[in-house]
Amino acid sequence: MTSSIWTSIFGTGISQEDLKGPASLSEDACNDLVHSLVRLGYLGDIATSLDGKTFITQEQLTKDITSLLEKRNGRVSILDLPRALNANSDDIQARIVDLMKTNPGRYVQAQDELLKMEYLDEMVSQLNDELTKRGFWTVADQCRKYKFSLEFMKQLLRDKVGTVIKGQWDTADRGAVYTSWFIENEKSALSTVLQKLKEPTPLHALQARHVVQDQFFYALCEALSKDQDVPGVFMGMNDQGVFVPRPYKEQQAEMIEIFFRNNGFIEYTTIKKHGVTDPRAYLQTNHPSALLLDTHAVKESIWSIVDASVEDSISNLSWIDIKPLVPTPLTREDLSSLLRQLPSLKEPSRIAVSPEQDHSLTGLGGVAPQETTVVQDSILVTAGQFQKCLLNMGPLLDRKAKALVSWRLSFGGNARIEGEEDLEEMHVLGHVGGKTTSPALARANSKFAATVAKQQKKKFQDFLTIQDVKDEIRNLEPDFESVLVNAVAGTLYKDLLLNLRDRNRSVVLNQAEDEDEASDTEADVDSKEPARESNIGLIQLAAKGLSDKIRLASKGIDLFEDVIVRNSLSKYLLQSWCVEMLDILLLSCSLVETTTLSSPSDTATQARDRIRKSFHDCEQGSITSEVTQGPFIITAEDQQHLLTFVAADAVTSLQKLRKIVGGSCKYKSLVEFQTISQPFVDALPKTAVLGRDESQLLAGHLTELNHNLSGIKPQTGDALMLHIVTLIIFQSWTGNMLHASGKFVPRILRQLRVIVDKSSSSGSDIRLEQLDLLDKMLITVLAAAKQELDPLEGTSQPCQDVYNLGMELSAPQA
């Protein structure tokens, strides 16, 4: 056997003599011998050194590994073991695997390191001590300190934190561990810094101060934001977040309230600049009565005046532009939004038509006359206003119908209106004037008729253009703005064209009959010429009476301290009594014989007599009727007719007065109107002077208010009753009359309170109680209108008290 091994190793045989002698092998031969024995499997438990010259058993290699691990405090790098133990790395790795397998839970391999569990336990103990001293540490810091990977450290500490390590994981960042006392100290330190802040500070700027540990900063901010004792408000919880100190926030809120209270409106961007992120929510919470528009919010003190003015316009079947009533900064979108939210427009049909309006008006298109249309976002027009404009278009339609007939008569049977299918009308025109076109002659001229047919075709729009309608509206309503003129003309144009079509035949068939009636009317007027002088004195008397009322009403306007209110009251006076007085003065001047620039036409004479009769009927109606009559108004067309009877020097003054009442109508315009009109009043005959002093005139006006108030039931007309009682109290307290519509009630009450506050008389307390009663009534009416409730529900006693107060103050003196 020995011989065979020898042969396998050295490749040569061995003799018996060699075996008997002593062994003498070189070092290389020995190495080759051992390696061969290992290769052949005769030495299986042998590990080779790195240089191949040393051999060690696997058991000894294991002992060397554990011995080195002990020398290095339980932690050794596997990559360092081959050089330290002079052993092959594969043998070492096999020994480590076997070592952990045979000793589970005692050794751990972490990446390229071999660790004893005692080492890790000691490390955990050190971490706990550090946490106890510092209050926190991060896993990343410990990884750098102990040179472990982040994954290994987190896995090792996953179950240790909260048990062996007396701390807790950071919920916002799982890479940090802290103690409860540390967090409380940090919160206290941050809260102290926040208390010292005087203005909004970005959170990233606070973090840069390093007041607290950076990794805990935002978590601490979030925790403090839930604390009621925090000295401010956190606006966001990131780098874009801002901390607003409570004193600063309260100061900003106070600035918002002061601005809103003093101006009555505020822009949302202004609120945002003062630290409020949601302006609408802020206003809904702090000012529930304010109206939230597109870019602004307005207080009830503003929108209630607009609402009262709108309601007054609806009641009068008129129109209104709310732009002058609202603050200038409001945009068109704001105005549109304001109109949509006004209580009076949520159900306009519930607003009763004023007594002076024609109750027969049904509104354009058959809708309720109170129904409204918004033009250019700020102008509100009622259907009744549209219908009144349509009804005043009669003279225009008559003129256009006659022009159409003249055109058709000039072309005879060949004239055609595009779209007209009633051929019978053409045959009727052929007989006008007593001439008949024979069939033979018609056939003879048919070729010529076909040649010029194209030139003889027209549309109704050629006779009545949209510009004609606009010009007529401007003459009828000089105070209409251009945009309103365009809107009304556009609305009425289609109806006017249909009306012109309907009038077309009747004008042609009755032309001769109309001429006969005109001559009869002229003769009748001539026969009544002596009666013309009989009512001149009545007209002059009315002019003098209106002049006195205007003079006294202007004194009442002078008591108002607010320039805007004076201008508004002056405008109302100019557009009502002053317009009526101007029309009566014009009629009076036209009836006085004088030298004119040109001889008046027959049409002008007929118009003057018709207007004089209309005035007489109006005056008689106001005397015999219990219902208050509307003002005496002369149309723009009739004004031009009357001016032909007036002296040239007077025409200029009358035209200037007309321009004043149709202009801006401010307080200075009222003064100018009185100055220019006074010579006309002074020129009236002495028979036209009423012979009553101011006290008699004021008593008469108070009696008229008493009469109007007595016709109202306290349970059916609360707004009108409040309006009349307010005028009665104003005259009773100030000794001056006032001519104002219902929309001025809040402003009148405000001025009366100023007057009472300045007064030191013994009756001031009683007057304050009376004002409080009227204010309570006003608030009730506005609140009921806003909520769409019955205005008198639950207010019967205040209504009755206000009614009794008005009747008492306006009762005739014995």
Side-chain angles (χ1 to χ4, degrees), residues 403-405 407-408 413-423 425-426 429 453 456-463 500-501 504:
L404 189 151
V405 170
W407 171 80
R408 301 188 68 165
N414 290 317
R416 294 292 185 272
I417 301 295
E418 184 174 331
E420 186 178 45
E421 297 177 359
D422 191 358
L423 300 180
E425 184 176 0
M426 302 302 178
L429 290 175
Q456 296 171 346
K457 283 187 178 181
K458 285 193 174 183
K459 301 179 181 179
F460 283 105
Q461 291 90 327
D462 295 329
F463 296 95
L500 180 62
R501 182 190 300 269
N504 182 30

Side-chain angles (χ1 to χ4, degrees), residues 68-103:
L68 183 61
L69 191 60
E70 290 291 342
K71 290 180 180 180
R72 297 190 179 182
N73 300 320
R75 178 177 179 179
V76 66
S77 173
I78 298 176
L79 299 179
D80 294 341
L81 288 178
R83 185 174 56 186
L85 300 178
N86 192 21
N88 190 282
S89 60
D90 292 337
D91 293 332
I92 292 174
Q93 187 61 47
R95 290 297 86 206
I96 291 175
V97 173
D98 182 68
L99 186 63
M100 291 190 298
K101 185 177 180 180
T102 55
N103 298 277

Side-chain angles (χ1 to χ4, degrees), residues 6 75 141 149 369 518 752:
W6 183 273
R75 178 177 179 179
D141 290 342
S149 67
L752 288 175

